[in-house]
Amino acid sequence: MSILFVSATDDPGPWLRELNRLLPEHPVRVWPERGDDAAIRYAVAWKPPPGLLASLPRLEVILSLGAGVDAMLADPTLPDLPLVRMVEPGLVLGMTEWVAAQVLYWHRNQHAYSAQQARGVWQPLDEFLAQERRVGILGLGELGAAAARALAALGFDVAGWSRSPREIPGIACHSGPDGLAALLARSDILVCLLPLTAETRGILDAELFAALPPGAVVINAARGAHLVEGDLLAALAGGRLRGASLDVFTEEPLPAGHPFWRHPAVVVTPHVAAKTHARTAAASIAEQIRRHERGLPLENVVDSRRGY
Ligand code: NAP
Ligand code: GLV
């Protein structure tokens, strides 16, 4: 019963090492090498080529290397099998660090001070305490809830928004379409950590920006297609927004010459907010394979109707 590892962007070396250590009874093949297709029971995959998973006749479980499964669900031939998304401590810690770094960067005027330093300007700006800065988090799942807790621990005034009602101590939780307006109206810094679904595609648009307090900052670490890029550029140009930190883009890598590269109010990182590291994540894959083989229910299974 073998495992097929499929990723065009992840180094298979550390995964082979960890999976062989944790699951020695399961040979691991690294795509495009497949061996005997009929021996493959598990696919551990990030953006597998459309049709690949459907071509494996005895596949039983698909384990996503990423937390977001939008690319996987976009494959019309995706087999009707359990799809387990990635939930693991390294991903949570990585995202919490990236979000905290971006929030602190804008909160402490680092963007303005870096620009001043480049011009040799010594000019203290108005500074605020964290408790005076209202942060809103779209998505209160594994990553959003952890980021919310960390920001609250730093003293920020944090609220969040989810599809169903949530309760997180110290966080003002809003939910559903009716809860969105209240969250936006009080978000000086807005962080997007939603899954990309039919309901959330394009959510970061002109209408949403207009509902934020003037001069707000938008931080997107979810998916590029959450953002209407032209609307962001217009909101920055009009002064409606102060700045943006973006880790994800409609087209990745971000094409040369894209206006975000040189925009003075946009921070760009190359989809690195939270990476899935084999040294922490292989254990969660091994755990789900063991559960499957013991007849226990799988965890973190995607609901394909919901889209996440
Ligand atoms: P998750 O645990 O599934 O949480 C998703 C959250 O979004 C939940 O709170 C969910 O509400 C909420 N949500 C979904 N649809 C909604 C809607 N229509 N309206 C309001 N709230 C909605 O996902 P996660 O593990 O936190 O990951 C979130 C996303 O981060 C991933 O899907 C991926 O796209 C992105 N990501 C990016 C990176 C990176 O490096 N940039 C790394 C990892 C993940 P409920 O609580 O009611 O279900
Ligand atoms: C990365 O973007 C992920 O979804 O894990």
Side-chain angles (χ1 to χ4, degrees):
M1 299 216 287
S2 58
I3 299 172
L4 183 66
F5 179 87
V6 187
S7 171
T9 49
D10 293 89
D11 174 5
W15 286 98
L16 275 172
R17 262 196 310 281
E18 289 299 319
L19 291 173
N20 286 333
R21 184 176 66 80
L22 295 164
L23 298 166
E25 67 283 19
H26 294 290
V28 183
R29 314 243 175 85
V30 178
W31 178 81
E33 200 183 310
R34 299 159 59 147
D36 174 13
D37 280 357
I40 298 170
R41 296 286 189 284
Y42 306 103
V44 173
W46 175 245
K47 296 190 177 173
L52 171 67
L53 301 178
S55 73
L56 302 171
R58 301 192 62 195
L59 191 63
E60 291 179 10
V61 182
I62 304 165
L63 299 118
S64 170
L65 282 167
V69 289
D70 43 291
M72 201 97 87
L73 294 177
D75 176 359
T77 70
L78 187 73
D80 185 15
L81 293 172
L83 167 58
V84 176
R85 65 187 205 88
M86 182 55 72
V87 174
E88 63 99 7
L91 207 51
V92 174
L93 284 172
M95 185 57 82
T96 300
E97 287 172 5
W98 187 89
V99 170
Q102 300 305 322
V103 168
L104 288 167
Y105 176 88
W106 290 103
H107 168 62
R108 291 308 310 265
N109 288 319
Q110 189 54 51
H111 197 71
Y113 290 132
S114 296
Q116 288 185 184
Q117 182 178 350
R119 290 180 286 121
V121 173
W122 180 278
Q123 178 59 59
L125 302 171
D126 279 350
E127 298 287 349
F128 294 87
L129 297 173
Q131 68 202 44
E132 296 162 334
R133 192 77 76 180
R134 301 165 300 173
V135 181
I137 311 234
L138 300 176
L140 286 175
E142 295 292 331
L143 304 179
R149 285 191 198 97
L151 293 169
L154 284 170
F156 288 100
D157 179 358
V158 184
W161 182 62
S162 53
R163 195 160 164 268
S164 50
R166 302 281 304 252
E167 276 184 32
I168 305 176
I171 313 296
C173 295
H174 303 265
S175 62
D178 296 343
L180 182 59
L183 177 98
L184 297 176
R186 49 85 66 218
S187 294
D188 303 314
I189 299 179
L190 184 75
V191 180
C192 180
L193 281 171
L194 290 165
L196 182 63
T197 66
E199 285 176 14
T200 65
R201 181 176 293 274
I203 189 169
L204 302 176
D205 65 0
E207 190 182 336
L208 177 144
F209 301 147
L212 293 169
V217 168
V218 170
I219 295 176
N220 186 20
R223 285 290 182 263
H226 283 122
L227 174 68
V228 181
E229 294 184 350
D231 287 4
L232 176 67
L233 290 167
L236 291 168
R240 176 80 220 167
L241 294 180
R242 175 160 69 106
S245 290
L246 307 174
D247 183 58
V248 286
F249 303 89
T250 311
E251 189 181 343
E252 295 181 5
L254 187 63
H258 192 288
F260 289 158
W261 277 122
R262 297 197 178 283
H263 197 293
V266 176
V267 173
V268 169
T269 56
H271 201 144
V272 291
K275 303 265 289 175
T276 306
H277 295 287
R279 55 192 182 280
T280 51
S284 77
I285 287 180
E287 168 69 8
Q288 297 312 315
I289 290 178
R290 284 197 211 98
R291 289 180 71 89
H292 178 68
E293 295 186 346
R294 286 186 201 132
L296 296 172
L298 292 165
E299 297 166 323
N300 309 314
V301 175
V302 171
D303 176 342
S304 55
R305 283 162 313 164
R306 246 178 18 169
Y308 69 99

